[in-house]
Structure formats: structure tokens, C-alpha cells
């Protein structure tokens, strides 16, 4: 038993330590499905990759494209179709994008195991390794108390998921209000998928905090816009004054030039000295230099004006981009939490069905392993061995056959016995 325990923990440690490598080895044949989280990135930009959850409709929200169905596609297939869509819609000629699986749908191990529940899926996982993640087989059989505790834990997870969905939904509604330039969050802004999940009391509890966040953000953006607009107005006034100054300077230059022409004529007649002529030329040159300085000042002021106008545009565009990114993140998290909630509900139903089993009191035991899997929306159940592969989203059911059941199987006709699910013998219990 001690060696078996060490083996169980060793398998669990190896699986946990190789999670990143296993994800990378998912292979090109893995088909995306509801609940998977993928990472989408524009390779050429400086923004971080965006995590996208495959929603219940099988789609993810791709920047610029919007809802895009990927369920049933491999990663290379989805990436190719996304690139084609970018090109067909003339967003890019040759988009450089990446798509990778960040996390898979969890698996669930239930029944006669030491720690039933949900676990992270890794590619190439088999039934034996999945059972090891759940602490190994429970040779003593789960008691009624064990099942009650497990169901209570799952119901706690279910309740917690509702609160988390509520937080994400209220945050999404706040951002939708921001994008609509509204200063009040409306329940109409809540995502349609969560309506019916949240109670009025939960909404009333969560709403005030996000309402204050909305008011703070709206005030900050409004203040920033007012500051930039006031700066633009001031620079426009300064630019008009510079323009007026340049007109005055042009008049001064014209007067200095007229004086220079007059002094040159007098110099030719010998009525003024060379010194007077030099002073007049110097004055005309000085006034020309003043005009150039005014032009330089006007150029600097125009650049300042352009920068303020860009800052004003960027303040709006950056805020809008940030809001859209956050909205997408919240919607993706809502999809993930809904998937977790649905899976948890399924676990509770499975535990309820397993609770109908009679207590185990026999000395000889045999384990049976089953996998429940959704294929094209239909749930199928099949008996498997420890070496059979596990897919993302599978539920593994581990159960102990009673001795009297084994005897009944032995007494059945051969044709009936052949149709009986195979079992794995582990010998007498201690």
C-alpha cells in the first residue's frame, strides 16, 4: 500500500510538472470545444496576447472580426480560417497572428476514488493517470458521509460560481454603459446569458461598487478631455496672436526697407555717410531676423497644437480600446464560469446516481472504469481500461463490483457474460 501511495503521488507530480509541455504537445489533431481557452495574438504589435474562451455557441470573440466559430476545428484549421477572414475583409494583406490552446476543458473523476472532483486536463492523459489525479482508487468504498461532503463541496463551488458570474456580468454592464456614455449602469446591459442566474439581492449587492467605478472613470475621462480642450483653445489664441505679430512685423520690415532705400539714394548724392547707410542696412536685417523668429515660434506653437489634438484623440481612442478589451475579457470569463457551473451541476447529478449503490462489505473487489463523453451534443458512456485515453471534458466514473454481482456474472450464460463490461481485479482488500 505504501508503494502504491508513492506511485500515485509520483504520477500526480509528473502530470502537474509537465502541464506546459503537455499543452504544447496538444497536437494538430485536437479539436476545439466549448470551455477551451485559447490565446490569440497579433505578432507584430506590442499588446499582450488575449485569452479567449470558446463560448457555449462554439465561438470566440476575435478582435476586429467579432464572433467567430471555432468549435470542432483544430488549432491550425481555426488559425487558417481566421487569417482568411482578415484578408477577405481587407483588414490585412498578410496578417501575422498566432493561436494556441491555453487551457483545456477540465476532466471529472467521480465514484470510488479518494478525492473526486474536477482536474486540469493534459494531452495524452489516460484513465490510470486521471484516477491518480483523484488520489487513486478508494478500495474501502465511499461512505454515505463521503458523498454528502462531496456534494456539499460541489454545491459550494456552484454557489461561488454564481457570485463570480455576477461580478463579471456587472463589470461587463459597467463597460457597456461607459461605451454608451451613460453615467448609470442598467440591468438591461447585463449579458443575456446570465439573466435568470442572478437574484435581485445579489445584483443589488454587487451593483453599487461598479456604479462608483463607472462614475469615477467617466469623471476622469471628462476631466482629461476638458483639460486637453482648454489647452487647445489656449494654443489657438496664442497662434492667432503670433499671426497678428507677424503681420505687424511685416509692416515694420517694409518701413525699414523704405528707410534703407531712401538712405541709399541720399548716400549716392553724398548727403549721408556710409555709417548711416550701414546702420540702415543693419536695421532692415534685424527686422527680417525678428520675422524669422516669429515664424519659428508659430511653427513650435502649431506642433504643440497638433500634439494636444492627438492627445485628445488618443484619450478617446485608447479609452475605447481599453474598454472593448476589458469587455471581451469579462465576457470570456463569463463563458468559462458558465461552463464550470454546467460541469459542476453534472457532477452533482452523477453523484446522486452513484449514491444509489449499496455499501461494499465483500472481501474481494474489482474496479470498473467508465467514461462519459459528449459527442455532437449527445452523452455517451463506455467501459474502458486503465490504458484508454481521456479527452478534455470527459467524466471518469470509478466503481467497485460487489462479490455477489461477480458471482451472478459467473452464473450467467456465455452470451450474456460476453456483453458484461470488463473489470480490473485488484485482489482482496486489507
Amino acid at each position: 500500500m505504501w508503494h502504491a501511495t508513492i506511485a500515485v503521488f509520483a504520477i500526480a507530480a509528473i502530470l502537474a510538472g509537465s502541464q506546459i509541455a503537455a499543452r504544447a504537445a496538444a497536437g494538430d489533431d485536437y479539436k476545439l470545444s466549448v470551455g477551451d481557452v485559447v490565446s490569440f495574438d497579433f505578432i507584430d504589435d506590442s499588446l499582450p496576447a488575449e485569452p479567449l474562451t470558446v463560448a457555449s455557441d462554439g465561438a470566440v470573440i476575435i478582435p476586429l472580426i467579432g464572433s467567430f466559430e471555432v468549435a470542432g476545428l483544430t488549432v491550425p484549421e481555426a488559425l487558417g480560417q481566421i487569417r482568411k477572414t482578415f484578408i477577405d475583409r481587407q483588414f490585412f494583406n498578410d496578417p501575422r497572428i498566432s493561436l494556441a490552446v491555453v487551457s483545456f476543458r477540465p476532466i471529472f473523476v467521480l465514484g470510488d476514488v479518494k478525492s473526486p472532483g474536477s482536474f486540469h486536463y493534459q494531452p495524452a492523459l489516460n484513465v490510470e493517470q486521471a484516477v491518480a489525479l483523484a488520489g487513486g482508487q478508494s478500495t474501502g468504498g465511499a461512505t454515505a458521509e463521503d458523498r454528502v461532503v462531496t456534494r456539499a463541496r460541489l454545491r459550494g463551488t456552484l454557489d461561488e460560481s454564481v457570485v463570480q458570474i455576477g461580478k463579471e456580468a456587472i463589470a461587463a454592464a459597467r463597460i457597456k454603459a461607459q461605451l454608451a456614455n451613460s453615467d448609470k449602469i442598467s440591468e438591461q446591459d447585463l449579458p443575456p446569458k446570465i439573466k435568470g442566474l442572478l437574484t435581485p439581492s445579489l445584483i443589488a449587492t454587487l451593483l453599487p461598487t461598479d456604479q462608483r467605478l463607472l462614475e469615477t472613470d467617466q469623471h476622469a475621462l471628462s476631466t482629461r478631455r476638458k483639460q486637453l480642450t482648454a489647452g487647445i483653445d489656449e494654443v489657438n489664441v496664442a497662434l492667432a496672436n503670433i499671426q497678428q505679430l507677424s503681420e505687424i512685423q511685416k509692416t515694420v520690415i517694409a518701413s525699414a526697407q523704405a528707410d534703407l532705400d531712401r538712405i541709399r539714394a541720399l548716400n549716392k548724392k553724398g548727403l549721408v555717410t556710409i555709417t548711416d547707410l550701414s546702420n540702415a542696412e543693419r536695421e532692415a536685417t534685424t527686422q527680417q531676423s525678428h520675422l524669422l523668429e516669429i515664424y519659428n515660434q508659430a511653427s513650435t506653437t502649431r506642433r504643440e497644437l497638433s500634439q494636444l489634438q492627438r492627445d485628445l484623440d488618443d484619450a478617446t481612442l485608447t479609452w475605447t480600446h481599453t474598454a472593448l478589451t476589458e469587455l471581451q475579457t469579462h465576457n470570456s470569463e463569463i463563458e468559462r464560469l458558465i461552463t464550470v457551473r454546467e460541469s459542476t451541476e453534472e457532477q452533482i447529478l452523477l453523484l446522486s446516481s452513484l449514491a444509489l449503490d449499496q455499501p461494499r462489505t465483500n472481501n474481494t473487489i474489482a474496479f470498473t472504469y467508465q467514461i462519459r463523453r459528449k459527442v455532437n451534443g449527445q452523452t455517451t458512456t463506455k467501459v474502458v481500461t486503465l490504458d484508454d485515453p481521456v479527452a478534455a471534458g470527459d467524466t471518469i466514473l470509478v466503481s467497485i463490483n460487489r462479490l455477489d454481482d461477480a458471482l451472478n456474472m459467473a452464473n450467467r450464460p456465455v452470451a450474456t457474460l460476453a456483453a458484461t463490461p470488463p473489470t480490473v481485479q485488484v485482489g482482496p482488500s486489507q
Side-chain angles (χ1 to χ4, degrees), residues 3-65:
H3 292 295
T5 303
I6 293 177
V8 167
F9 282 105
I11 292 173
I14 291 172
L15 290 174
S18 62
Q19 183 174 357
I20 296 177
R23 289 177 183 173
D28 292 344
D29 57 346
Y30 177 77
K31 294 185 182 295
L32 298 171
S33 187
V34 176
D36 288 336
V37 179
V38 297
S39 172
F40 176 82
D41 188 24
F42 290 104
I43 297 176
D44 293 331
D45 67 8
S46 59
L47 297 175
E50 296 187 27
L52 308 174
T53 301
V54 182
S56 57
D57 59 358
V60 294
I61 306 299
I62 302 295
L64 301 179
I65 294 178

Side-chain angles (χ1 to χ4, degrees), residues 43-301:
I43 297 176
D44 293 331
D45 67 8
S46 59
L47 297 175
E50 296 187 27
L52 308 174
T53 301
V54 182
S56 57
D57 59 358
V60 294
I61 306 299
I62 302 295
L64 301 179
I65 294 178
S67 180
F68 192 93
E69 187 170 352
V70 297
L73 301 178
T74 65
V75 172
E77 289 172 346
L79 184 62
Q81 292 191 17
I82 293 171
R83 290 188 78 259
K84 183 177 183 300
T85 302
F86 275 123
I87 295 172
D88 291 345
R89 296 188 184 181
Q90 299 182 350
F91 289 124
F92 304 100
N93 292 326
D94 184 20
R96 299 189 61 195
I97 56 178
S98 67
L99 189 71
V101 178
V102 175
S103 64
F104 301 90
R105 290 163 291 151
I107 62 169
F108 306 93
V109 185
L110 302 176
D112 292 299
V113 291
K114 295 178 181 177
S115 301
S118 63
F119 303 92
H120 289 296
Y121 170 78
Q122 299 93 30
L125 193 72
N126 62 23
V127 173
E128 183 178 22
Q129 293 166 335
V131 172
L133 290 175
Q137 299 94 334
S138 178
T139 56
T143 65
E145 291 79 6
D146 293 333
R147 299 188 190 280
V148 169
V149 170
T150 302
R151 281 198 297 270
R153 177 175 58 81
L154 290 175
R155 291 191 182 281
T157 301
L158 202 64
D159 293 339
E160 182 182 357
S161 70
V162 172
V163 175
Q164 294 299 324
I165 289 173
K167 290 180 178 179
E168 297 293 335
I170 296 295
R174 167 174 55 82
I175 295 175
K176 290 181 68 175
Q178 287 179 337
L179 292 171
N181 290 323
S182 173
D183 58 357
K184 185 175 180 59
I185 301 175
S186 170
E187 291 189 20
Q188 300 300 321
D189 293 328
L190 292 173
K193 290 185 177 181
I194 60 88
K195 292 182 178 178
L197 287 178
L198 308 184
T199 62
S201 60
L202 179 59
I203 295 176
T205 300
L206 299 175
L207 191 60
T209 299
D210 278 270
Q211 179 61 44
R212 288 195 294 271
L213 287 174
L214 172 62
E215 294 169 356
T216 301
D217 290 343
Q218 293 288 65
H219 177 72
L221 179 62
S222 176
T223 300
R224 178 60 174 162
R225 285 173 174 171
K226 288 179 180 178
Q227 290 173 343
L228 291 171
T229 301
I232 290 172
D233 292 340
E234 291 179 4
V235 173
N236 277 323
V237 172
L239 195 58
N241 292 337
I242 292 173
Q243 182 64 33
Q244 185 178 359
L245 183 61
S246 67
E247 295 300 326
I248 294 173
Q249 186 63 27
K250 289 177 182 178
T251 302
V252 173
I253 290 173
S255 176
Q257 186 63 43
D259 287 343
L260 177 58
D261 293 339
R262 181 176 57 80
I263 291 174
R264 281 175 176 168
L266 293 174
N267 178 257
K268 289 180 180 180
K269 295 178 180 180
L271 298 177
V272 296
T273 64
I274 294 297
T275 300
D276 293 333
L277 178 59
S278 297
N279 291 336
E281 290 175 345
R282 188 180 301 109
E283 178 64 19
T285 301
T286 299
Q287 297 305 327
Q288 290 283 357
S289 298
H290 287 168
L291 182 60
L292 291 177
E293 291 174 358
I294 293 173
Y295 284 159
N296 287 336
Q297 185 178 359
S299 178
T300 301
T301 305

Side-chain angles (χ1 to χ4, degrees), residues 339-353:
T339 301
V340 171
R341 175 181 170 80
E342 292 173 349
S343 299
T344 305
E345 289 175 335
E346 183 177 354
Q347 290 181 71
I348 293 175
L349 292 175
L350 289 173
L351 278 176
S352 298
S353 65

